[in-house]
Amino acid sequence: MNTPKPFRLIVLYAWLPDHLNPNLPGPKYRPVLVLDVNPKTKELLVAYGTSQNTQYPGKGEFTVHFDGLSKPTKFCLGYQRWIPATDEYLCKHGQKNIIGYLPRYYYDVLTDAIDDIDY
């Protein structure tokens, strides 16, 4: 029996690694969408979030705006990273910034964005 993964589809902030240093916390603390959890390695699979160009989401992208996000945020499902679920990646000034679950009314646009991704 599989155990439930309660952290899926949570929006939180993380130091998302960039392309140049994929094994180090990134330079900017940004919103990410948790897509999966690996309890064995204690890692989160997260999708990149940005407040730039939110009015024109591209292939595999969708825009959200709900309580807890200060601006409309575009999530890019084509830019995913496994990151450790540690304070080094998830905290700023000793605090985690967990926005909450992605509201259900965004599930259709999330599904459409998933369908757009070429694997």
Side-chain angles (χ1 to χ4, degrees):
M1 180 169 139
N2 290 337
T3 57
K5 297 183 180 179
F7 295 106
R8 283 184 178 163
L9 299 182
I10 284 184
V11 176
L12 52 86
Y13 277 75
W15 298 99
L16 188 68
D18 62 22
H19 297 290
L20 300 175
N21 298 297
N23 298 315
L24 297 173
K28 187 173 180 186
Y29 196 59
R30 64 173 58 256
V32 296
L33 176 65
V34 177
L35 301 174
D36 202 357
V37 177
N38 185 328
K40 290 180 184 172
T41 63
K42 297 183 179 162
E43 292 179 308
L44 307 174
L45 179 62
V46 298
Y48 171 89
T50 180
S51 61
Q52 303 297 310
N53 300 313
T54 58
Q55 64 274 36
Y56 305 110
K59 193 173 187 177
E61 301 175 345
F62 67 102
T63 299
V64 302
H65 193 203
F66 57 92
D67 288 342
L69 291 171
S70 60
K71 303 177 187 181
T73 301
K74 178 174 64 176
F75 290 107
C76 308
L77 300 181
Y79 183 3
Q80 301 175 11
R81 294 279 183 273
W82 283 100
I83 63 169
T86 63
D87 288 350
E88 184 179 18
Y89 282 82
L90 301 177
C91 288
K92 183 176 185 180
H93 306 300
Q95 297 290 317
K96 288 183 179 79
N97 189 352
I98 299 171
I99 304 301
Y101 284 100
L102 182 71
R104 288 189 181 273
Y105 51 85
Y106 286 112
Y107 285 13
D108 286 343
V109 292
L110 169 63
T111 302
D112 290 344
I114 291 168
D115 290 342
D116 280 348
I117 297 175
D118 293 326
Y119 288 102

